[in-house]
Each structure stands twice: as C-alpha cells, then as structure tokens.
Amino acid sequence: MRNLQFSKPAAWMTPLLLMVSILCVAQAPLPEPVTDQETELGRAVYNELRDKGEIIESSPLYESLRPVTEAISRVAQSHYPHPFKFFLVHEPHPNAFATPGGNVYVVDSLLYFVKNTEQLAGTLCHEVSHTIHRDAVARMEQDHKIKRREIGAAILLGPTLAQAMAISMIGDLNSLAYSREVESSADVTGSDICAAAGYNPWGLVWLFQEFQNADSEQLPQLLSDHPANGSRIQTLEQHFRDNPSVFSKFNPDSKSATPFSVPKDASSVQFLRPRDR
Ligand SMILES: [Zn+2]
C-alpha cells in the first residue's frame, strides 16, 4: 500500500529543493496564449524582443520586482481581460513599457534607477493603465491609419505583417510619443491603482519632481520626452485633492518613502534564447 502521507524530504534533497524553488521565484513568467488580437500583438512583440535577446529569463531581480507587481496585478486585473505579466528586459536606458495583451516590460536598470518602492510602483501602475486604456492599440491605429478590425484581419494574413507591426510597435513604445493628455490619464488611473494596492501614489510625483532638474540624458524614456512634467504633477495633485477619501491618508513627503532594494549579487542573469527559425 502506498503511503499517502507527505514525509519529510531526505537530507540530500534539501539543497536541490532549495535550488528549484529559487529558480522558480527568479524566473520570467510564460506569455499568455494567443486568444484575440490584443494577445496576438502582445505575443508578436514578445517574440521580437526575445529574438533580439532582450528578455531576461531568470535573474534575482525578479524577486525584488515580484511583490510590487503582484500587489499591482491584484488591483488592476479586474480592469483588463488578460493576465498582467511583467518581464525584465535589458536595454540601454531605464524604462518600462506595456504592450497589448497584458505584458509589461521593465528594463533591468530601472530597478537600480528608482530611489524608492513608491517610484517603482508609480511607474508600473502608469504602464498598466496604458494597457487598461488600450493606448498602444489606439496609437497603432492612428499611426497606421487602419481600423481595429483591419488590424485583426491583417494578422490573419500571416505572421510577417504581425511581426512588422510588432517591430513598429516596439519603436513606438520606446519613443513614447503619447500625447500629454494620454500620459496624464495613465498617471491618474495609475494613482488610483497604486492607492488601492497600498502604494503611496505620490511616488510618481516624486519621480517627476526629481527629474525636473536632472540631466535629460539620464532620464528614463517614459519621462524624458515630456517637458510637460509640471502639468502632469498638477493634474495628479488636483486628482488627489478631488478625492480626499482615497488620497488624504498618503504622505506627500518623499522622506516617508520605502527604500527599494535589489539583491546584492544580481549579476547571474540568463536571457531567453531566440526561437529556432
Ligand atoms: Zn506613459
């Protein structure tokens, strides 16, 4: 008869189990299966980034990122039909960008760039809000002068066009030329998400304030293209004042921030291998 009780693992297994569990927590999520045109576009961008060797498959940095992304996802998920998934990528400038389908890409250096957890959470809440608002899809429709259903039809024609659109989208997302209104709207929704997730939504304001006097070469893409940061701060502050029941409990003073720490040795990074073509 089989013993159904769980027995303690043998001593020799302990380091093995520990290793397996560390590998599990430090790895990139699996992308969402393709179910509609948003996930299809998201998948095409994922494939392009993977083929460029940018997606980090495993890194201790995932452990620092995970608590923040889990808390944000718990709140944001009810506003979007596909699961949010956060991937670390390696690119020259600290940045974060969201694609249709729920994938959010976080450049590894952003985790070293932010001064506190609230700044990181604010950035990620902002990106998730672009997805909820379908800003990338709207932007693409505008850029390519084609309607949403035509994008869907175009993708059915074959992977080449979807791939071409993905490349174009990566270019768009990196240059981040959303209008000030679109950015402010993502800031506001992002602040609601951050507040509900328990992160002080002043984090994004602190990030803007810090950069107003900083060297523009050093700025993350998500902010450097927007000289109108002042008006984005004003819009956020107005939103906080208009909704005291949500926001008055948060301390506007950045001295109250929670330090964000990355693992001491985060150099053991593995990249996803490009697909076999
Ligand atoms: Zn944005």
Side-chain angles (χ1 to χ4, degrees):
M1 200 177 106
R2 291 178 65 188
N3 181 0
L4 292 177
Q5 278 195 328
F6 292 104
S7 56
K8 279 183 72 175
W12 63 268
M13 286 178 74
T14 308
L16 190 69
L17 288 171
L18 190 67
M19 202 170 78
V20 168
S21 74
I22 286 170
L23 284 175
C24 285
V25 293
Q27 287 209 318
L30 289 170
E32 174 77 344
V34 170
T35 55
D36 66 8
Q37 65 188 43
E38 283 192 63
T39 49
E40 179 143 13
L41 280 167
R43 185 62 189 236
V45 173
Y46 173 89
N47 288 342
E48 282 305 310
L49 289 171
R50 184 175 64 180
D51 288 353
K52 285 164 74 187
E54 292 192 7
I55 298 181
I56 296 172
E57 181 179 27
S58 69
S59 160
L61 289 176
Y62 274 113
E63 290 174 51
S64 304
L65 187 63
R66 181 162 287 108
V68 182
T69 60
E70 281 181 353
I72 292 171
S73 296
R74 271 197 293 275
V75 173
Q77 201 56 73
S78 60
H79 302 283
Y80 192 69
H82 304 293
F84 284 112
K85 297 190 176 186
F86 295 79
F87 298 90
L88 285 166
V89 289
H90 187 70
E91 287 195 354
H93 301 291
N95 194 12
F97 52 94
T99 70
N103 293 347
V104 180
Y105 296 95
V106 183
V107 175
D108 47 4
S109 58
L110 183 70
L111 302 192
Y112 295 94
F113 190 90
V114 293
K115 294 247 164 63
N116 51 57
T117 305
E118 290 82 358
Q119 290 180 346
L120 177 66
T123 307
L124 300 182
C125 286
H126 171 94
E127 292 305 325
V128 159
S129 301
H130 277 312
T131 301
I132 292 170
H133 295 166
R134 265 100 174 165
D135 289 332
V137 175
R139 173 67 201 280
M140 207 171 48
E141 287 172 359
Q142 201 185 351
D143 280 3
H144 296 270
K145 302 274 186 284
I146 46 179
K147 292 190 171 63
R148 194 174 298 230
R149 64 175 177 280
E150 289 170 329
I151 295 174
I155 285 169
L156 292 177
L157 296 175
T160 319
L161 191 49
Q163 197 185 343
M165 292 173 125
I167 292 167
S168 144
M169 185 179 284
I170 289 169
D172 284 353
L173 290 162
N174 280 328
S175 65
L176 262 155
Y178 286 134
S179 71
R180 192 188 309 174
E181 288 70 29
V182 167
E183 291 298 351
S184 258
S185 176
D187 291 342
V188 165
T189 301
S191 72
D192 292 339
I193 293 170
C194 268
Y199 290 110
N200 189 336
W202 283 92
L204 199 54
V205 174
W206 299 335
L207 202 61
F208 289 146
Q209 286 169 339
E210 207 170 293
F211 293 158
Q212 279 179 331
N213 302 318
D215 175 4
S216 63
E217 286 284 296
Q218 299 299 316
L219 298 189
Q221 289 277 341
L222 83 156
L223 298 168
S224 62
D225 290 338
H226 298 282
N229 288 347
S231 79
R232 288 174 67 182
I233 293 176
Q234 282 170 14
T235 304
L236 272 174
E237 289 182 341
Q238 187 64 48
H239 181 61
F240 296 168
R241 276 194 298 274
D242 290 346
N243 299 278
S245 61
V246 176
F247 295 102
S248 64
K249 62 173 178 272
F250 293 106
N251 190 342
D253 189 346
S254 62
K255 291 194 185 76
S256 68
T258 316
F260 180 72
S261 61
V262 292
K264 282 215 170 59
D265 181 18
S267 57
S268 52
V269 168
Q270 273 205 325
F271 289 92
L272 272 179
R273 288 188 315 165
R275 290 165 299 168
D276 296 327
R277 299 242 188 192

